[in-house]
DNA sequence: AACCCAACCGAGTACTCACTCGGTTTTTTT
DNA sequence: AAAAAAACCGAGTGAGTACTCGGTTGGGTT
């Protein structure tokens, strides 16, 4: 592994665990064994390190989801929604660093006056909500999901719900896993036909 | 207003808008007109300022909710749930500073080795989830909410959903207000009888 | 009028910060 | 093997950082 990759890897861990501002270049130098001069040889500024990491996070999340969706065969749209929610929770556990980074304030503050950062963040969230919406649309075609629900807005609501649970987990308030069954049940209720009994 | 209160007020704004670490005592001194010596006369450390603010936030949120609940007369438990959700969104807009503070990482990191901070945070979330749960319990007694849903866990799910939407709003990703109708509709679906048609 | 004490001041302190620069080592190219 | 380029080093810099300390002010009590 090249020194640049070592720096990226260590910075990913430190930025997500301690925060961007709370991590000094001196510490980064210490844990990587790279001199400060070396760090600034590979990256123009400390902010530049962060943007490299965010790029990795964006590409990593999108890649993971695309692989998951194209590998798994879903019975129908509702099944896909359940799978996608499960995978989001699973990924938030396996790649905790990525999600810790995304649940900090720094990226969103940087995004306010850095178009590259904003593009990465929007890329991540647009992709995720798109996937949730696609599951709903598929479900509406194959009749596993109520045609009455607005697909985009409902996708956002469900994403907010899942993401909110991940937030609780990352902040050590509740264990998201303990609510998994209720989460899936709630999701089913939101998406099912409201008047299916009339048939 | 005493100088101490001026400091608290300015620090609340700065800590929520810029962050704790990103706000220097020098800046706080500048915007309040108080000398740095004065700030450290009233507060032992910078962290001490933050704890004073968090105390205010906790007491403020709990007070606001208690007043709302005891003032409004709800038709039934489901109506109460709708009211509480609306009030949470309303308060997150009116007292944006409080919620920005609570949606940063700093409080939760401080809570890891500061029992006072942890107590404040737990106090806030316990109180809020308690209120959500109480609405569900009331609804299950007056038959406006399905008896089959587990009250505590469902309260957490709905709270995660609402809080997740507030998070999106605070991070300038989506406007929570635009999803208000879908939020209430989804909540109704989660709480209503799942087999009402069989009656 | 003498005293008191909390409120207030701001220059000073020891330290950390991101970043630079001149030079050395290692790798690649010719 | 010589030359060019890239990777790497670490002491140094100047601008912050939280916090201290010796001293001044001003309203209230005796």
């Amino acid at each position: 592994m090249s020194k640049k990759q070592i720096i990226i890897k260590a910075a990913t861990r430190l930025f997500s665990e301690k925060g961007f501002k709370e991590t000094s270049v001196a510490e980064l130098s210490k844990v990587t064994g790279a001199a400060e001069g070396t760090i600034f040889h590979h990256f123009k500024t400390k902010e530049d390190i962060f943007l490299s990491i965010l790029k990795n996070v964006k590409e990593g999340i999108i890649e993971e989801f695309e692989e998951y969706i194209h590998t798994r065969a879903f019975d129908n749209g509702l099944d896909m929604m359940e799978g996608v929610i499960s995978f989001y929770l699973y990924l938030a556990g396996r790649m905790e660093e990525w999600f810790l980074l995304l649940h900090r304030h720094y990226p969103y503050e940087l995004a306010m006056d850095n178009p590259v950062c904003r593009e990465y963040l929007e890329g991540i969230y647009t992709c995720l909500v798109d996937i949730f919406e696609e599951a709903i649309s598929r479900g509406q075609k194959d009749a596993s999901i109520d045609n009455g629900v607005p697909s985009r807005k409902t996708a956002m609501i469900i994403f907010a719900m899942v993401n909110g649970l991940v937030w609780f987990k990352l902040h050590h308030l509740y264990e998201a896993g303990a609510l998994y069954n209720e989460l899936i049940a709630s999701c089913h209720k939101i998406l099912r036909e409201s008047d299916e009994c009339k048939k």
Side-chain angles (χ1 to χ4, degrees), chain A residues 6 15 40 56 74 89 97 103 144 188-189:
Chain A
I6 292 173
F15 288 171
F40 285 102
N56 287 347
F74 301 106
L89 293 175
E97 285 177 354
H103 279 87
S144 62
H188 278 198
K189 289 181 190 171

Side-chain angles (χ1 to χ4, degrees), chain A residues 146-163:
Chain A
D146 178 14
N147 271 294
V149 304
S151 64
R152 189 72 184 174
K153 287 186 172 181
T154 305
M156 285 185 188
I157 291 281
I158 292 177
F159 182 67
M161 183 166 72
V162 181
N163 202 52

Side-chain angles (χ1 to χ4, degrees), chain A residues 46-64:
Chain A
K46 191 183 161 190
E47 187 179 298
D48 196 34
I49 305 176
F50 182 84
L51 287 175
S52 288
I53 292 172
L54 192 59
K55 187 166 182 280
N56 287 347
V57 172
K58 180 200 160 188
E59 290 167 358
I61 288 181
I62 292 178
E63 199 179 310
E64 288 277 356

